[in-house]
């Protein structure tokens, strides 16, 4: 699509199958971030590899914008419904941009509460840096699941982190909807040479910024 900036796609994939090396309750893993995780829920496995993915993007790729997208929690469908994905981010501008991009392209998005100072305590562990699942499933579990991922780049990380939980919108009955492709193209369209993507993108200059601002903005758009 004619992207001009440094764009990486990191696929966080793992076989979720029973075997002699499968994760067991009370296991403690050292993740790629160096943080230790006590397993208290073997069904909360996807966030483990997502945490490694964002840590890799930060440490090895040097990204200053990291967006992770996954069918992470069944609670997302309860929080924002079948048609709106849930977005959690450390940046208010990008939260608004995700909502606007969704409206522009049809892949709708709605914000979750971002409050690590109150919610990350759900993962408190006596023997590791954190557990992998919440203590209280009634306390915004979709937000907390996203915070687990963010903790592996650090809540004081100066870059932009965006988490999009697409558990419900990706399917209609037994069929996939293809949700997410249009959203990413719209959200990052300002970094493309495609005039249509520039038109629908809520971020970037879209031809209205002076050259010096365009250059400065480009340095902030090494995208993941």
């Amino acid at each position: 699509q004619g992207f001009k900036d440094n764009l990486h796609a990191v696929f966080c994939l793992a076989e979720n199958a029973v075997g002699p090396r499968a994760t067991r309750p009370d296991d403690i893993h050292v993740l790629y971030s160096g943080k230790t995780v006590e397993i208290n829920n073997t069904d909360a496995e996807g966030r483990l590899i997502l945490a490694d993915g964002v840590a890799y993007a930060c440490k090895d790729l040097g990204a200053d914008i990291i967006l992770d997208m996954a069918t992470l929690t069944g609670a997302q469908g309860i929080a924002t419904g079948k048609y709106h994905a849930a977005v959690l981010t450390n940046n208010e501008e990008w939260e608004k941009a995700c909502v606007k991009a969704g409206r522009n392209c049809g892949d709708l998005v709605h914000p979750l509460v971002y409050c690590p100072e109150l919610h990350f305590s759900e993962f408190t562990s006596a023997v590791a840096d954190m557990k992998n699942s919440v203590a209280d499933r009634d306390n915004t579990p979709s937000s907390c699941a996203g915070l687990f991922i963010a903790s592996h780049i650090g809540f004081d990380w100066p870059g932009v982190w965006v988490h999009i939980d697409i558990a419900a919108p990706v399917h209609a009955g037994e069929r996939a909807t293809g949700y997410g492709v249009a959203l990413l193209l719209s959200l990052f369209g300002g970094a493309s040479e495609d005039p249509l993507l520039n038109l629908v993108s809520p971020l970037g200059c879209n031809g209205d910024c002076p050259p010096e601002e365009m250059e400065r903005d480009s340095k902030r758009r090494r995208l993941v």
Side-chain angles (χ1 to χ4, degrees):
Q1 299 297 325
F3 279 89
K4 305 183 295 290
D5 290 327
N6 187 16
L7 174 68
H8 299 273
V10 178
F11 292 86
C12 305
L13 307 173
E15 178 67 69
N16 185 12
V18 176
R21 299 181 65 188
T23 293
R24 297 173 171 84
D26 299 330
D27 280 355
I28 297 178
H29 294 311
V30 181
L31 269 61
Y32 190 60
S33 64
K35 298 181 185 296
T36 54
V37 177
E38 176 190 356
I39 304 301
N40 66 329
N41 182 351
T42 55
D43 193 42
E45 82 291 343
R47 65 193 63 182
L48 301 177
I49 53 172
L50 285 165
D52 277 357
V54 298
Y56 173 80
C58 180
K59 292 166 61 175
D60 293 72
L61 300 178
D64 53 16
I65 300 169
I66 298 176
L67 183 148
D68 71 80
M69 178 182 286
T71 55
L72 195 63
T73 65
Q76 176 273 308
I78 298 170
T80 61
K82 294 181 179 180
Y83 307 110
H84 292 74
V87 61
L88 187 72
T89 175
N90 63 355
N91 186 290
E92 186 176 7
E93 177 188 359
W94 278 75
E95 179 183 280
K96 294 176 181 177
C98 287
V99 172
K100 187 174 181 180
R103 290 174 179 168
N104 288 347
C105 72
D107 283 352
L108 300 173
V109 178
H110 192 77
L112 293 174
V113 174
Y114 177 81
C115 193
E117 61 270 30
L118 294 180
H119 292 151
F120 191 65
S121 58
E122 289 289 344
F123 296 102
T124 298
S125 168
V127 293
D129 291 319
M130 68 195 78
K131 294 182 179 179
N132 76 317
S133 190
V134 292
D136 183 358
R137 289 180 177 241
D138 292 329
N139 189 14
T140 188
S142 293
S143 288
C144 289
L147 294 178
F148 176 90
I149 297 168
S151 69
H152 291 271
I153 53 176
F155 295 121
D156 57 349
W157 183 60
V160 174
W161 169 75
V162 182
H163 165 72
I164 302 180
D165 193 333
I166 59 175
V170 295
H171 69 93
E174 296 181 352
R175 301 293 181 226
T177 62
Y179 183 97
V181 177
L183 178 64
L184 292 176
L185 288 171
S186 176
L187 183 61
F188 295 130
S192 169
E193 295 174 347
D194 188 302
L196 179 60
L197 294 183
N198 272 265
L199 183 65
V200 299
S201 177
L203 294 166
C205 294
N206 297 331
D208 298 326
C209 296
E212 62 274 11
E213 289 191 21
M214 292 183 68
E215 181 181 358
R216 184 165 60 249
D217 185 55
S218 178
K219 293 178 181 178
R220 287 290 307 158
R221 289 202 313 253
R222 301 208 316 275
L223 310 179
V224 172

